[in-house]
Amino acid sequence: MDEAKVIQGSALGMAAIATALWRHKLRFDPSEPEWFDRDRFVMSNGHVGLLQYIMLHLSGYKQWTMDELKAYCHPTANNFTNICKTHPEIEFDGLDISTGPLGQGVANAVGMAAANKCLREKFNKDGFNVVQSKVYATTGDACLQEGPALEAISLAGHLKLDNLILIYDNNGVQSDGPITLTFAENVNDKMRACGWYVLEIPDGNHNVDAIITALEVADKHVGQPVFININTTIGHGTTIAGTCKAHHAAFGHDNVKACKKSWGYDPEATHVIPDDVREYWSEVAEKGRRAREKWQDLVARYTERYPDLGNALSALERGHLGPEWRERLLALQPPQGPTPVRQSSGMVFDELWDMLPMFGGSADLSEPNFVLKKPKEAFGPPGDGVRHQSYAGRYVHFGTREHAMAAIANGLAAYSSRDHEHQSRGQAIIPFTATFSMFQLYAAPAIRMGALMKLQVIHIGTHDSIFEGACGPTHQPVELLNLWRSMPNLLNIRPCDAEEAIGAWIMALDHHGPTVLNLNRGAVPLQKGTDRLKMQKGAYVIEEDEQAKVTLVSTGSEVYHAVDAAALLRARGIPARIVSMPCMRRFEQQDRAYVESVIPRDGRPVVSVEAMSMHGWARWATASIGLSRFGTTVHADAVAEYFQLNAKHIARRVAAYLEDLGGRNALLEPWRAI
């Protein structure tokens, strides 16, 4: 390991911090890694994952064996099954979330703290604190320079999340050199200005007792999240201590031997834990088991006293949603007149709000996102100048903090217990976010992390195309669908009307991973052939014609333009069939027979119609109508005409394509934009 190009210096510098946390403070049971009321721990400076793995091994987690530690950062070790990854990954015992991209973990911890605070308010009763856990996170210098962390720190202070303790490994070094190259503000003053209570420890290299005392003070502090600034030395004990080389360079054999000798250990021995160290850590597992059993006894007595709440807590712990939400959506009648899909989605959202443990909010766009049409209790401290606000509320006013919003939502999702092996357990909380589709690009790194972890978060994006209109190209996404459609584990759904909006929510709630809903701004008619159940396969025929000479496949608000264009084509003697494809990912998962029943592979042309970039459509279509440029500032009613995307222009372009094709096999021709 000492020759590997991995980050080891911070693991040495943070050893005292880790000892105080894992040996003395954190509440967990290695024999039951998914115990619901364990303390949550987030290592936002995920490049120090090695230190967390060592703590898990010393604490008695069976999965974290010495053989796994020996294979750290070598992906081919143990026949490619090594769990000691370069950065923590959520699927392994004891790791509450995946971290790596700096700043994300701080925001994740804020989400976990919000979940914990809400559950405390809902379930705890006098003498029955069934939610006792807290959230602890570590951060380095770099995280405190990243946007999502700063956004989340600001919000956490505003929300007074006093169940959150953030520990700063203040070693003064980054990859390029000392942090004074780029970072000079007074961090403590900044944190105080954001509403945090600040503690500082001058010696974080050795003084474990001082760190324990600070953690105890933080644990008792009320009304503010706590920031503990701990001064450490990166690479402590090595000849390169305190330098940027200790951040990322290999120590070398001689340096490692010198360190071991100075600590009184055999310099030639590797991966050996001395007996006195084993003894020091030996009681951790037993202490955790006793804490869990005491909690289980408390919950049993609580359920006797408050059976409805006890059963609700048990269902939440198992992530059991029940069948009622599905029954409600299957029976829900869509609006019959022209309605914006974002409004139809909002109708569905309001139906679900009191039935499901949904938790989230909008980035200062609640009204246009249609997520607050029905009044909802806001999450936050009561009596803080906001009507209908308490920690029992589940609606978060995120402000214009899109990146943190999505990362916080990941933390809300990750608070749940997880069945790593079978992934059969649901989530205790179903987070959602909402903003304009264009601004989801701010949130993309966090949405990607959610996809990597397969966290069920529903990201609502309205004003999803150039049909947004008058705000102009800065607010009109043309390229983002390609990002979402190519992202593993994520569903991108673009419903075309109110019926498909209902189906989109069914699809999102059934999906074990994140979903991005892209919803149009303007009113669209309800189509005769749309079906909330048929759309679960991702694409389906909404207008069939056995004599069709062309298939038009479309998504979102463009579907009704395609339907009207098909009518014009028929009037010109060109029979056409219509396919709605709200979710490419779900469609590509279907069997070949179904795919070919929807998208013919017999040589007849297939034309895609979408007011977006045409990249990706060549897989399904022989030709595409779309955009190869950004949008423009045109009133929404004039956009279709301006870009020639209304029915008359679609029909004209398709007819010209068919004439040029001249009856040839379209599959043998190169894909083209028309």
Side-chain angles (χ1 to χ4, degrees):
M1 184 187 72
D2 54 314
E3 294 300 329
K5 294 294 184 182
V6 296
I7 297 171
Q8 308 162 31
S10 292
L12 292 176
M14 292 181 65
I17 295 173
T19 300
L21 277 170
W22 292 87
R23 171 62 174 79
H24 297 280
K25 187 58 185 170
L26 291 179
R27 184 169 166 268
F28 60 92
D29 179 8
S31 68
E32 292 287 346
E34 295 302 316
W35 171 28
F36 190 69
D37 198 43
R38 70 191 184 279
D39 287 335
R40 299 321 196 260
F41 175 76
V42 178
M43 182 166 272
S44 189
N45 46 341
H47 51 273
V48 200
L50 171 62
L51 180 62
Q52 188 172 2
Y53 308 154
I54 293 170
M55 295 299 104
L56 293 169
H57 173 75
L58 292 172
S59 299
Y61 283 81
K62 292 181 179 179
Q63 193 176 31
W64 295 92
T65 65
M66 182 58 75
D67 283 342
E68 296 291 351
L69 294 181
K70 288 178 180 179
Y72 168 65
C73 212
H74 291 286
T76 61
N78 302 333
N79 194 27
F80 294 91
T81 64
N82 176 45
I83 66 176
C84 288
K85 311 297 186 181
T86 310
H87 299 89
E89 297 183 11
I90 194 173
E91 61 263 35
F92 305 116
D93 290 349
L95 302 179
D96 290 322
I97 201 157
S98 300
T99 57
L102 294 168
Q104 294 275 340
V106 173
N108 299 154
V110 172
M112 290 181 179
N116 177 274
K117 198 76 170 173
C118 186
L119 294 176
R120 284 173 178 238
E121 189 74 12
K122 178 176 181 177
F123 290 107
N124 286 357
K125 299 293 182 183
D126 288 343
F128 291 95
N129 288 332
V130 291
V131 182
Q132 304 169 27
S133 52
K134 289 201 170 187
V135 179
Y136 298 81
T138 59
T139 179
D141 303 295
C143 287
L144 298 181
Q145 298 167 30
E146 291 281 7
L150 297 176
E151 293 175 15
I153 284 168
S154 171
L155 185 61
H158 174 72
L159 295 174
K160 301 179 181 178
L161 298 178
D162 55 9
N163 56 341
L164 172 62
I165 299 167
L166 180 61
I167 301 163
Y168 174 27
D169 171 36
N170 185 358
N171 60 41
V173 172
Q174 290 183 247
S175 290
D176 281 356
I179 62 168
T180 51
L181 289 172
T182 187
F183 191 70
E185 68 255 34
N186 187 311
V187 174
N188 289 350
D189 285 351
K190 180 167 69 175
M191 297 300 291
R192 291 188 183 101
C194 288
W196 290 61
Y197 183 68
V198 176
L199 300 169
E200 184 160 12
I201 298 173
D203 176 17
N205 294 327
H206 307 95
N207 201 339
V208 174
D209 289 341
I211 300 172
I212 294 171
T213 299
L215 290 169
E216 294 294 341
V217 171
D219 193 43
K220 294 179 175 62
H221 187 73
V222 177
Q224 294 172 289
V226 178
F227 180 76
I228 307 178
N229 186 338
I230 303 180
N231 293 273
T232 66
T233 303
I234 192 168
H236 176 57
T238 70
T239 59
I240 56 175
T243 71
C244 63
K245 288 185 177 181
H247 183 277
H248 53 268
F251 290 157
H253 289 296
D254 292 341
N255 213 344
V256 171
K257 289 179 180 179
C259 287
K260 292 176 181 177
K261 189 173 183 180
S262 69
W263 297 331
Y265 299 133
D266 181 356
E268 300 299 329
T270 64
H271 298 91
V272 174
I273 297 175
D275 292 341
D276 59 336
V277 176
R278 286 284 188 199
E279 179 63 26
Y280 180 71
W281 287 85
S282 62
E283 66 181 63
V284 171
E286 178 60 23
K287 182 176 69 173
R289 184 189 64 79
R290 290 196 303 267
R292 175 182 54 80
E293 291 177 350
K294 183 179 179 181
W295 177 80
Q296 289 174 328
D297 179 67
L298 175 68
V299 171
R301 291 185 286 110
Y302 172 83
T303 303
E304 288 181 6
R305 178 75 175 274
Y306 305 101
D308 290 344
L309 284 173
N311 291 333
L313 179 63
S314 176
L316 201 70
E317 184 179 358
R318 292 179 286 111
H320 179 63
L321 300 181
E324 293 80 11
W325 69 268
R326 189 184 305 275
E327 294 167 359
R328 177 79 63 86
L329 293 195
L330 291 177
L332 188 63
Q333 293 299 309
Q336 295 302 301
T339 307
V341 179
R342 62 186 173 122
Q343 183 176 336
S344 300
S345 171
M347 174 195 72
V348 179
F349 179 78
D350 284 344
E351 290 286 332
L352 294 170
W353 182 256
D354 292 328
M355 304 181 68
L356 296 177
M358 305 181 75
F359 197 147
S362 170
D364 201 40
L365 292 168
S366 299
E367 183 174 351
N369 294 153
F370 278 87
V371 289
L372 205 52
K373 290 298 180 182
K374 178 181 178 180
K376 299 171 179 66
E377 187 174 17
F379 174 80
D384 204 36
V386 180
R387 294 183 60 197
H388 308 298
Q389 176 170 289
S390 79
Y391 287 122
R394 292 179 284 123
Y395 192 88
V396 182
H397 291 279
F398 282 106
T400 49
R401 301 181 178 101
E402 292 89 354
H403 196 166
M405 174 175 69
I408 287 169
N410 287 342
L412 287 165
Y415 192 85
S416 304
S417 299
R418 294 173 65 79
D419 183 343
H420 298 303
E421 184 175 354
H422 301 104
Q423 295 186 342
S424 59
R425 183 180 291 152
Q427 285 183 187
I429 291 169
I430 301 175
F432 70 95
T433 72
T435 185
F436 288 171
S437 292
M438 189 67 249
F439 302 147
Q440 288 179 322
L441 189 57
Y442 279 132
I447 295 174
R448 180 185 181 276
M449 287 299 293
L452 182 67
M453 293 183 276
K454 300 180 181 179
L455 297 176
Q456 186 181 31
V457 180
I458 299 172
H459 300 283
I460 300 166
T462 65
H463 301 62
D464 73 336
S465 73
I466 58 170
F467 289 106
E468 186 279 332
C471 283
T474 58
H475 286 51
Q476 298 169 355
V478 298
E479 73 285 12
L480 289 189
L481 290 190
N482 293 309
L483 173 62
W484 307 134
R485 286 169 176 167
S486 64
M487 192 172 288
N489 304 329
L490 180 143
L491 290 185
N492 174 246
I493 311 175
R494 194 165 183 250
C496 76
D497 64 4
E499 176 70 16
E500 285 196 353
I502 299 169
W505 277 94
I506 295 172
M507 192 184 297
L509 289 168
D510 280 338
H511 179 55
H512 294 291
T515 297
V516 173
L517 297 177
N518 289 126
L519 312 173
N520 84 303
R521 177 190 180 187
V524 293
L526 186 68
Q527 299 300 319
K528 291 182 180 179
T530 51
D531 189 300
R532 69 193 72 179
L533 294 179
K534 290 181 180 179
M535 69 168 284
Q536 300 305 309
K537 291 188 175 183
Y540 63 113
V541 180
I542 64 171
E543 285 192 9
E544 186 59 273
D545 188 329
E546 296 296 335
Q547 305 302 315
K549 295 181 179 179
V550 64
T551 294
L552 304 184
V553 55
S554 188
T555 77
S557 57
E558 291 85 272
V559 168
Y560 90 88
H561 291 296
V563 169
D564 290 348
L568 295 177
L569 287 169
R570 292 187 196 104
R572 298 172 63 169
I574 304 173
R577 58 201 293 275
I578 305 294
V579 170
S580 176
M581 188 182 286
C583 183
M584 277 193 187
R585 172 63 46 79
R586 187 60 66 85
F587 184 58
E588 68 188 17
Q589 294 169 347
Q590 305 308 312
D591 61 58
R592 182 175 179 177
Y594 179 77
V595 169
E596 293 186 359
S597 74
V598 175
I599 304 293
R601 308 296 291 173
D602 56 7
R604 287 179 294 170
V606 177
V607 179
S608 68
V609 179
E610 190 173 58
M612 301 279 178
S613 163
M614 294 170 283
H615 284 287
W617 274 109
R619 178 176 184 181
W620 308 111
T622 59
S624 295
I625 295 173
L627 295 174
S628 56
R629 54 160 289 182
F630 289 111
T632 191
T633 305
V634 177
H635 192 276
D637 293 339
V639 168
E641 176 65 26
Y642 182 87
F643 285 102
Q644 299 187 9
L645 288 169
N646 54 15
K648 69 176 182 180
H649 288 298
I650 294 170
R652 174 185 57 77
R653 294 161 82 169
V654 171
Y657 166 57
L658 295 180
E659 183 178 359
D660 182 71
L661 197 60
R664 297 190 302 276
N665 187 325
L667 292 176
L668 300 180
E669 298 287 317
W671 170 91
R672 67 178 86 173
I674 61 174

